[in-house]
Amino acid sequence: MRILDLHCDTLLKALLASQDGMPFSLVSNDLMLDIGRMVEGRYLGQFFAVFVPVEGVPGATPGEAAQAMLETAWKMIGMHTDGLQKDRERIRLAGDYAGIIANQEAGRLSAMLSMEGLGYLQGDLSLVGEFHAAGVRMAGPIWNIENEFAFPNSTDPQVMGRGLKPAGFDLVAELDRLGIIIDVSHLSDGGFWDCIQSSKHPVIASHSNSRAVCDHPRNLSDEMLKALADSGGVAGLNYCPAFLKDTGLPLGQGTSRIKDMVRHMLHIREVAGIEALALGSDFDGISGEFEIGDASEVVTLIPALEQAGFSPTEIDKVTHENILRVIRDVC
């Protein structure tokens, strides 16, 4: 058993630390994920998300703000590269299935890059090719704010029903062409269905759970989970308390419990099949109280899965094999 996780926001925390003039290390830090705790937690690899804060640039024109955000994205990619260089004996960048296996055989972890929200591209899809050249192998068109490509998940049914914009369909085609996995986690339901129907490759939700178990717009309905599975894709279990159980508490509060994680996984297995299950912790992008509080503790999920009736073969699929299949098929 090895852990291959689809989403963390550790690079965002690195960015914020640098903005505050604080040192930061991917090798060892006081956050939820670092290389040392990945080793301790028996990881195979981790997708590191490049998420640029969207508060805007005071006094800037839209074009100036987009340029500033693009520069920040490249800064985060540079910080990721620098962080990996400091521990090359234990972790290397991987660009495809063969790269991950080669790293594993050499006793190393694999790091992969994903983009979370691409609204600052301003229609310039050539930049997607530049991101690909830098190692990006997964991209979500949107975060939680409408952009040139799509509409976000929402409690407003009208927003939730809207699909991709024309530029969004162009983006899907470009991601397909380059071999970048399409991530639908933050999309509206309409955008989800447009990606499923227009992409030629498996589509994933890197950090989303079951809406039937916890009715949150960031989670997926049973119909969506089945369609994701039919595409050959996966849903990565998000450890955020608000996406695991409806407690009525504000986002960022509540307790993330292993038993609730297992409930989602059992339901997804039942409606979409074991091939649709994966892990997408959202480490360093979530807050609250956690029974699995950092990368070293993910292995504590395994006994709970065994007790719930998951076989060793199924656990291997959930923890890494299903994601490896998608990477092999797309990248």
Side-chain angles (χ1 to χ4, degrees):
M1 185 280 301
R2 291 289 184 267
I3 303 298
L4 180 51
D5 187 283
L6 284 167
H7 189 88
C8 76
D9 279 307
T10 309
L11 293 181
L12 173 61
K13 293 295 179 71
L15 172 70
L16 297 176
S18 72
Q19 291 175 342
D20 290 338
M22 302 291 290
F24 180 85
S25 172
L26 279 180
V27 178
S28 177
N29 56 57
D30 60 358
L31 300 176
M32 301 176 87
L33 186 140
D34 59 29
I35 296 168
R37 277 175 288 181
M38 288 171 65
V39 171
E40 187 178 349
R42 300 180 64 189
Y43 270 58
L44 177 65
Q46 175 70 51
F47 275 90
F48 289 85
V50 177
F51 169 65
V52 179
V54 294
E55 289 84 358
V57 180
T61 66
E64 291 169 340
Q67 181 60 34
M69 293 176 70
L70 178 61
E71 291 171 0
T72 300
W74 281 114
K75 180 178 180 180
M76 294 174 74
I77 291 172
M79 295 175 76
H80 181 258
T81 301
D82 291 344
L84 299 184
Q85 287 290 337
K86 292 180 171 61
D87 204 344
R88 287 180 55 79
E89 291 302 311
R90 293 196 295 177
I91 191 167
R92 300 276 180 93
L93 186 70
D96 55 20
Y97 175 85
I100 295 172
I101 299 304
N103 281 338
Q104 181 184 25
E105 291 176 348
R108 292 190 293 262
L109 302 166
S110 289
M112 291 131 309
L113 281 168
S114 64
M115 307 300 291
E116 186 173 28
L118 291 169
Y120 45 81
L121 297 186
Q122 293 197 300
D124 186 356
L125 294 185
S126 70
L127 294 171
V128 181
E130 294 181 20
F131 287 145
H132 181 270
V136 170
R137 293 299 182 268
M138 184 196 306
I142 198 166
W143 184 61
N144 289 334
I145 296 175
E146 178 186 349
N147 64 20
E148 67 196 80
F149 299 117
F151 297 88
N153 70 98
S154 175
T155 56
D156 183 339
Q158 289 190 336
V159 174
M160 198 62 145
R162 292 173 180 161
L164 294 178
K165 299 178 182 181
F169 286 102
D170 292 340
L171 176 63
V172 166
E174 182 65 0
L175 295 174
D176 273 357
R177 185 185 72 82
L178 291 168
I180 297 176
I181 301 166
I182 295 170
D183 180 8
V184 297
S185 266
H186 281 275
L187 275 166
S188 64
D189 285 3
F192 169 95
W193 288 112
D194 281 343
C195 286
I196 288 288
Q197 292 162 10
S198 60
S199 176
K200 300 175 182 178
H201 292 150
V203 171
I204 73 161
S206 67
H207 53 309
S208 295
N209 299 337
S210 163
R211 199 177 293 174
V213 177
C214 178
D215 189 12
H216 192 287
R218 277 277 285 100
N219 290 338
L220 304 177
S221 70
D222 286 357
E223 187 179 10
M224 296 164 79
L225 286 165
K226 291 174 186 176
L228 201 72
D230 288 343
S231 85
V234 297
L237 183 79
N238 191 319
Y239 305 175
C240 176
F243 303 156
L244 289 171
K245 186 175 182 180
D246 184 6
T247 63
L249 296 171
L251 188 67
Q253 298 183 23
T255 301
S256 172
R257 301 190 188 280
I258 292 174
K259 68 178 182 180
D260 294 321
M261 295 181 185
V262 174
R263 285 176 61 228
H264 281 268
M265 298 173 85
L266 284 168
H267 183 81
I268 293 171
R269 182 180 68 171
E270 179 181 356
V271 301
I274 192 66
E275 304 288 341
L277 268 169
L279 301 178
S281 64
D282 208 359
F283 278 152
D284 292 320
I286 50 178
S287 57
E289 299 294 326
F290 296 91
E291 289 187 344
I292 296 178
D294 64 46
S296 71
E297 298 175 350
V298 178
V299 291
T300 62
L301 176 62
I302 306 309
L305 291 176
E306 293 172 339
Q307 187 173 2
F310 285 79
S311 70
T313 297
E314 288 179 318
I315 290 171
D316 281 342
K317 288 179 181 291
V318 169
T319 56
H320 65 284
E321 288 181 355
N322 288 341
I323 309 172
L324 282 175
R325 182 194 72 241
V326 176
I327 294 169
R328 184 193 63 214
D329 290 349
V330 179
C331 302

